[in-house]
Amino acid sequence: MRQGLPDWLKTALPQTAAAPATIARTAREQVETLGLPGLRDEEWRWTNIRAIQRGNFSAPAGVGADIEPAIRLPLDNPLRLRFIDGVFQGVPNDAPEGLTLTALADADEATRQAAFSPKPAPSVENPNDALVTLNTAMAREGVVIDVAANATIERPIVIEWLDGATESVMSHPRVLVRLGQSAKATVVEHIETVGDQPAWRNSVIVSTIAANAALTHIALGLDGASRLATERSFASLERDARYHSYNVQLGGQMIRREYDIHVGGSGAHTDLIGLMMPRGKQVLDTHTRITHAAADTTSNEHYRTIADDAGRGIFKGRILIEEDAQRIEAYQSSNNLILSDNAEIDAKPELEIYADDVSCSHGATIGRLDQEALFYLRTRGVPLAEARGLLIAGFAQEVIDEIPLVELRDWLSIRLEERLGEQDLAGHETE
Amino acid sequence: MTETQELEQLVKREYKYGFTTDIEQEIIPPGLDEDVVRMISAKKNEPEFMLEWRLSAFRQWKKMTEPEWAHVHYPKIDYQALSYYAAPKSQEELDAEAPESLDDVDPKLLETYEKLGIPLHERAALAGVKGANVAVDAVFDSVSVTTTFKEKLAEAGVIFCSFSEAVENHPELVKQYLGTVVPQGDNFFAALNSAVFSDGSFVYVPKGVKCPMELSTYFRINAKNTGQFERTLIIAEEGASVSYLEGCTAPQRDENQLHAAVVELVALDDAEIKYSTVQNWYPGDEEGRGGIYNFVTKRGECRGDRSKITWTQVEAGSAITWKYPSCVLKGDDSVGEFYSVAVGNNYQQIDSGTKMIHLGKRTRSTIVSKGISAGRAENAYRGLVHIGKTATDARNFTQCDSLLIGDRCGAHTFPYIEAKNASAQVEHEATTSKVSDDQMFYLRSRGLSEEDAMNMVVSGFCKDVFNELPMEFAVEAQALLAVSLEGSVG
């Protein structure tokens, strides 16, 4: 029995939305019955959404304040697309050739149609898609990133999600990223809580990647204790297209990030790389679904979680291989470290396979640090906490090393070191 | 023979054990309400506590809804159209005690076993020759008809009898343990079983006793439109050990038959229980018509320190299998093991796996699951490894591999891993592949026929699990695999 929408959400449903009229109307009808997902829904059994259900959030009033992010990412001449509490601050006027940036509100009907028709289409039957549907019904803010065929955009396109500037605000922004044939671009999500106000962002990014194009998508969830976020990324790949995703989550009260990757053209490939480091009482959750819908496609997924204090790390990875999608190679691994007895790791690596000529594997491990490695370091005179720190850093570094932007990689390594310095790493091993 | 031909043969394999035996049955009219529950209890002369227990289960069941999360599809079952009790006519005579000699058994029933190739006397003789005695508690539909080797077991102090007998002769044991591992309201099918279970097996191995022989039960489903609700309870006291074998084949039928059994195992300190299953119920025909719905709840509890429970299963039959033999590792240093081969062909659907719940310190578990899909079968592994907060230094190793034969079948893996303790060590790995051309080429180049090569690859794939089967069962398991898959390739 579904709960339906809480009243505060019902009253917030807008009369006009960015989605084309028919799509918006259907979504509005659906959300009324779908409501919000709950622990009874299979996809949410590990993630308590109560903080959102009881949040009593309201849509941001008017334009956001003039706020700068506290954290400066070391990016080379980035193009900034800033959202303050979900309100888009306008397109920069120095977009290079081949790149068109448009506020969602100014986009034409066909573009908005594309922004609200992701692949695979969210299903009404699936309670998990309630949040996407809610976004469709609510979205007014957003941006469209268009990369022309054969264009290579060197400058990183940075979407800045600056949350929590005003009190109890929710936002439902929608972003469309379109890469033309053989185009190349890098999109970085800079996610930061700028105030200490509780805030909930329910954002959706829809990416379409044409033949032979390559999109690099980096998400950096930086510190922020009060942030609640439900984030969904759709990507659909045509022939020989590539989608490289890097997802680093370092903070937030409850972050649920989902990826739906539709590998729909032969020769296409996707990488999903992630690192989550919950501490305190943080809940960091990533769900990924890769659908191999065409033959001769490949995917590679590698997620790591380090849970400390009473933090909770959740990873669910699903690989679906459709009928007749032969000669697939799909590899997935999920490695997890628990540093405290109050921390928790939940993992669910899934394979769903309907073709026979495939080579698929997944591995998942949960454990403590390698005792032999620790012993080795101790025999070299390294103090216990330091030895543990080294091993933990090494564990995380393997993920960070995969990020293609060198400056960002180095910056993250330093940040990781600082972060581990703040944590009590003496742990459970006896002296 | 080419691979295509092999596949065709494989797909066309018919159920070898299809037949029905015409025995007059005493059947309660279809439908389920409190009166039916009372009637079942009355027919079995159960004490008051059993009736109360059943009624409480029934009341819980009424409020429950049928689970839909499994990766299986089937038409809605009308629970009011099923008959909940069927006993062979001779029940009155047999009620108090199962016959001591085979002469007392309905000859038609013996005929059934003859057709299956496992007549009781021959089987006993065969076992005798091998020096390993196998006691057979034969279940024909729902009521135990005969039990052999009772005396020998009694000498050792082991109680091995039908559930009804246990309720009559050892009510204190039944009262103490029934429903303590699988509570009445555990799930929809377990609640249904708790309300209407007809009979089953009961094993009690007292303190320090090693059960002198492997215990075995054969389940048969025979009456049309009759759900079969078996209840098994095995208790191993401190330091006791027992190996229990369960195997089944069923007559070929057009109509779907529901089977919702419950098996409960209790292992106290240093006790060991090994539970092995070979399941070959009617899987439906080539078009996916008919076949048994096998919705089973099996769970063992390692209640004592250093106890051990091992589940081994070879699942080859049934139209739908919904089964997760699990271990609750409560005692410190207790061990849970699960070894499984699940073979699906034609339109069979299998959603099976295990749960390992680690609660005690230094508990260990091993899961080895091999799934083989052919034809249009759907074969899913679903498992849970849970490391509780109290389970310091717990360890789990899981391996689930799937083999695909044909491009219209499905192989799925849905493992849940939860760890709440920093000292937990959990490893899970899963692979899915088909028999590779390289493997085939290598073996063919060594002079093996295509059939032998395929045979060898499949055997090798399942070897880890077959090694775990008790000797007495090995013959049947191998025969079954031969029928299921190897029969078509070699």
Side-chain angles (χ1 to χ4, degrees):
Chain A
M1 201 60 68
R2 303 212 59 79
Q3 294 277 316
L5 273 192
D7 285 338
W8 58 268
L9 252 175
K10 215 179 275 181
T11 52
L13 282 174
Q15 286 311 304
T16 54
T22 47
I23 293 180
R25 195 168 48 239
T26 315
R28 257 202 305 277
E29 284 163 18
Q30 286 171 354
V31 287
E32 299 245 0
T33 44
L34 279 170
L36 290 171
L39 287 176
R40 294 189 71 96
D41 293 316
E42 177 65 15
E43 296 286 300
W44 288 83
R45 67 199 304 263
W46 287 322
T47 315
N48 198 334
I49 200 170
R50 213 160 37 207
I52 290 173
Q53 276 159 340
R54 295 184 181 165
N56 199 9
F57 297 103
S58 53
V63 284
D66 187 17
I67 285 171
E68 289 286 319
I71 297 164
R72 277 287 182 211
L73 293 179
L75 295 169
D76 186 22
N77 194 17
L79 283 150
R80 290 209 167 84
L81 303 170
R82 185 167 294 170
F83 288 82
I84 297 174
D85 281 333
V87 178
F88 185 50
Q89 304 296 307
V91 292
N93 50 18
D94 62 339
E97 206 190 319
L99 177 69
T100 313
L101 300 167
T102 320
L104 186 64
D106 303 332
D108 59 32
E109 171 96 11
T111 302
R112 285 184 291 124
Q113 184 83 29
F116 289 94
S117 315
K119 203 174 176 180
S123 133
V124 195
E125 270 87 62
N126 186 356
N128 197 40
D129 287 333
L131 291 169
V132 179
T133 312
L134 183 65
N135 175 287
T136 304
M138 303 282 279
R140 306 182 72 162
E141 301 285 338
V143 67
V144 179
I145 300 167
D146 264 312
V147 183
N150 301 313
T152 296
I153 310 300
E154 299 288 354
R155 294 173 65 187
I157 302 158
V158 182
I159 301 171
E160 291 179 344
W161 303 113
L162 305 183
D163 298 342
T166 37
E167 202 184 331
S168 291
V169 150
M170 68 170 165
S171 59
H172 303 268
R174 172 83 59 149
V175 175
L176 175 64
V177 181
R178 280 192 292 205
L179 266 64
Q181 208 164 324
S182 301
K184 256 179 119 171
T186 300
V187 170
V188 179
E189 284 182 76
H190 171 150
I191 306 162
E192 188 184 326
T193 305
V194 287
D196 49 8
Q197 306 290 350
W200 169 39
R201 177 171 38 79
N202 176 40
S203 51
V204 176
I205 298 184
V206 177
S207 306
T208 57
I209 307 163
N212 201 37
L215 175 63
T216 299
H217 180 181
I218 302 171
L220 301 173
L222 305 165
D223 296 11
S226 59
R227 183 172 63 245
L228 299 167
T230 46
E231 303 165 344
R232 187 91 173 239
S233 288
F234 291 91
S236 64
L237 284 71
E238 290 178 20
R239 187 179 49 80
D240 296 320
R242 277 146 295 151
Y243 176 70
H244 308 286
S245 157
Y246 307 88
N247 172 24
V248 179
Q249 297 295 333
L250 301 175
Q253 184 187 336
M254 198 285 288
I255 309 294
R256 163 70 167 249
R257 198 171 167 86
E258 294 185 40
Y259 288 90
D260 284 271
I261 318 297
H262 190 263
V263 189
S266 67
H269 171 82
T270 182
D271 287 314
L272 295 179
I273 312 291
L275 173 68
M276 295 186 280
M277 293 180 67
R279 60 174 170 174
K281 286 183 166 183
Q282 295 169 346
V283 178
L284 300 182
D285 174 0
T286 300
H287 276 46
T288 69
R289 281 172 290 273
I290 302 174
T291 306
H292 288 272
D296 300 295
T297 53
T298 51
S299 66
N300 176 37
E301 182 164 14
H302 185 191
Y303 263 78
R304 289 194 168 185
T305 309
I306 303 170
D308 201 357
D309 305 331
R312 198 152 175 208
I314 299 155
F315 170 77
K316 185 186 157 187
R318 177 165 176 252
I319 297 172
L320 170 72
I321 298 183
E322 292 188 350
E323 239 176 64
D324 296 323
Q326 301 289 8
R327 298 173 301 279
I328 305 292
E329 273 182 42
Y331 175 75
Q332 182 193 85
S333 74
S334 160
N335 307 117
N336 306 281
L337 268 184
I338 308 186
L339 300 182
S340 145
D341 277 344
N342 293 321
E344 178 172 346
I345 297 278
D346 302 301
K348 193 183 179 203
E350 286 187 1
L351 297 174
E352 203 174 332
I353 297 168
Y354 298 94
D356 66 333
D357 192 357
V358 300
S359 173
C360 289
S361 66
H362 66 213
T365 60
I366 298 177
R368 50 176 160 189
L369 295 170
D370 182 346
Q371 299 299 300
E372 276 184 36
L374 205 56
F375 177 75
Y376 177 88
L377 287 168
R378 298 279 283 126
T379 61
R380 262 73 187 161
V382 182
L384 182 62
E386 202 181 321
R388 283 175 57 91
L390 279 172
L391 291 175
I392 296 164
F395 180 80
Q397 191 65 40
E398 276 188 46
V399 175
I400 292 173
D401 280 346
E402 307 236 12
I403 295 173
L405 303 181
V406 186
E407 306 84 3
L408 199 58
R409 201 157 63 207
D410 295 345
W411 180 85
L412 271 171
S413 301
I414 293 164
R415 204 168 170 84
L416 179 74
E417 238 171 76
E418 288 169 4
R419 165 72 185 266
L420 290 174
E422 295 163 15
Q423 287 171 236
D424 168 29
L425 296 176
H428 296 265
E429 273 82 16
T430 42
E431 283 281 351
Chain B
M1 201 173 354
T2 69
E3 204 173 321
T4 325
Q5 284 171 314
E6 279 163 24
L7 289 178
E8 268 170 22
Q9 276 209 9
L10 184 85
V11 167
K12 283 185 183 148
R13 163 177 69 96
E14 292 232 2
Y15 187 70
K16 284 199 177 170
Y17 300 133
F19 57 85
T20 60
T21 310
D22 224 359
I23 296 183
E24 266 188 278
Q25 298 242 353
E26 187 187 347
I27 293 179
I28 290 180
L32 181 57
D33 53 24
E34 280 201 9
D35 289 343
V36 170
V37 176
R38 284 175 199 280
M39 208 191 307
I40 292 170
S41 189
K43 270 193 187 293
K44 302 173 73 62
N45 293 322
E46 286 180 348
E48 187 64 21
F49 84 90
M50 276 306 305
L51 175 63
E52 285 307 317
W53 198 81
R54 284 174 185 274
L55 286 174
S56 140
F58 177 71
R59 283 167 200 148
Q60 292 182 51
W61 178 75
K62 272 202 302 191
K63 288 186 212 140
M64 298 169 99
T65 48
E66 203 173 329
E68 286 175 352
W69 45 260
H71 195 88
V72 296
H73 305 279
Y74 55 91
K76 266 250 166 280
I77 298 169
D78 181 357
Y79 291 93
Q80 295 304 330
L82 295 174
S83 170
Y84 287 89
Y85 186 79
K89 266 285 183 200
S90 45
Q91 166 68 8
E92 278 85 19
E93 295 103 69
L94 300 167
D95 209 27
E97 214 178 338
E100 293 305 314
S101 126
L102 290 171
D103 300 342
D104 300 340
V105 180
D106 190 330
K108 285 255 182 150
L109 181 56
L110 290 175
E111 201 186 310
T112 305
Y113 290 126
E114 294 277 354
K115 284 187 196 167
L116 285 168
I118 41 150
L120 290 177
H121 54 281
E122 265 187 34
R123 179 140 192 120
L126 183 72
V129 170
K130 279 169 141 184
N133 294 329
V134 178
V136 178
D137 174 15
V139 174
F140 185 80
D141 259 25
S142 314
V143 173
S144 285
V145 181
T146 184
T147 304
T148 52
F149 286 105
K150 231 174 201 168
E151 280 168 23
K152 193 169 175 194
L153 290 170
E155 243 170 70
V158 176
I159 303 169
F160 177 35
C161 60
S162 75
F163 208 92
S164 317
E165 285 174 287
V167 169
E168 198 170 324
N169 301 327
H170 311 281
E172 70 297 338
L173 285 174
V174 173
K175 209 170 173 176
Q176 188 184 347
Y177 289 105
L178 179 67
T180 60
V181 183
V182 180
Q184 293 147 310
D186 187 76
N187 66 67
F188 183 82
F189 298 112
L192 180 63
N193 174 289
S194 300
V196 303
F197 73 88
S198 40
D199 213 331
S201 299
F202 177 85
V203 178
Y204 173 81
V205 189
K207 203 166 169 177
V209 171
K210 254 187 155 26
C211 188
M213 65 188 80
E214 310 261 357
L215 304 179
S216 173
T217 300
Y218 280 80
F219 297 100
R220 314 274 178 241
I221 296 179
N222 203 286
K224 216 171 187 181
N225 264 338
T226 307
Q228 182 159 351
F229 304 94
E230 298 289 342
R231 187 105 198 172
T232 303
L233 177 57
I234 300 179
I235 302 144
E237 283 217 336
E238 285 91 342
S241 74
V242 59
S243 170
Y244 187 89
L245 325 173
E246 167 206 46
C248 30
T249 59
Q252 182 157 11
R253 283 277 177 204
D254 256 333
E255 251 163 287
N256 293 313
Q257 290 190 308
L258 173 67
H259 185 98
V262 170
V263 176
E264 296 181 277
L265 311 182
V266 180
L268 302 181
D269 286 355
D270 299 292
E272 199 175 325
I273 301 175
K274 192 174 168 72
Y275 194 106
S276 313
T277 308
V278 170
Q279 187 262 107
N280 186 29
W281 283 331
Y282 179 48
D285 66 10
E286 289 169 29
E287 305 297 319
R289 282 183 303 245
I292 306 296
Y293 291 180
N294 186 19
F295 301 151
V296 186
T297 306
K298 289 184 170 181
R299 193 175 305 152
E301 198 170 287
C302 286
R303 213 165 273 183
D305 295 346
R306 297 168 302 279
S307 54
K308 180 179 177 184
I309 289 178
T310 304
W311 296 101
T312 309
Q313 61 173 27
V314 178
E315 299 284 327
S318 294
I320 300 173
T321 303
W322 183 98
K323 176 181 176 189
Y324 316 92
S326 307
C327 296
V328 181
L329 304 170
K330 264 192 188 159
D332 292 346
D333 298 288
S334 58
V335 177
E337 293 178 333
F338 175 77
Y339 299 96
S340 166
V341 166
V343 190
N345 198 358
N346 296 325
Y347 283 85
Q348 275 178 274
Q349 304 175 54
I350 302 168
D351 195 301
S352 182
T354 184
K355 290 182 185 180
M356 292 291 174
I357 317 280
H358 292 253
L359 300 172
K361 296 184 178 68
R362 297 173 300 278
T363 43
R364 283 169 289 145
S365 63
T366 306
I367 300 171
V368 177
S369 166
K370 307 280 180 178
I372 302 168
S373 315
R376 287 187 158 273
E378 298 286 339
N379 198 339
Y381 168 84
R382 186 184 302 275
L384 167 70
V385 174
H386 176 93
I387 311 283
K389 231 181 173 48
T390 49
T392 320
D393 293 312
R395 186 94 176 74
N396 161 267
F397 172 76
T398 302
Q399 176 162 10
C400 35
D401 298 325
S402 304
L403 195 66
L404 292 151
I405 302 173
D407 61 0
R408 284 293 171 269
C409 50
H412 319 302
T413 322
F414 306 110
Y416 294 71
I417 306 166
E418 304 173 350
K420 298 180 196 239
N421 189 296
S423 59
Q425 266 181 285
V426 181
E427 288 169 71
H428 171 101
E429 54 184 71
T431 62
T432 303
S433 55
K434 66 168 193 169
V435 178
S436 80
D437 295 343
D438 287 356
Q439 283 172 317
M440 291 302 281
F441 179 76
Y442 178 87
L443 293 169
R444 297 280 284 123
S445 70
R446 260 82 191 152
L448 269 74
S449 72
E450 189 135 20
E451 303 144 60
D452 286 345
M454 181 70 102
N455 192 346
M456 193 170 275
V457 173
V458 173
S459 301
F461 179 74
C462 299
K463 201 175 136 215
D464 291 349
V465 174
F466 285 152
N467 285 346
E468 294 298 324
L469 283 172
M471 272 293 280
E472 285 76 7
F473 234 16
V475 181
E476 183 141 346
Q478 266 160 26
L480 186 56
L481 194 74
V483 173
S484 300
L485 281 166
E486 295 184 359
S488 59
V489 291

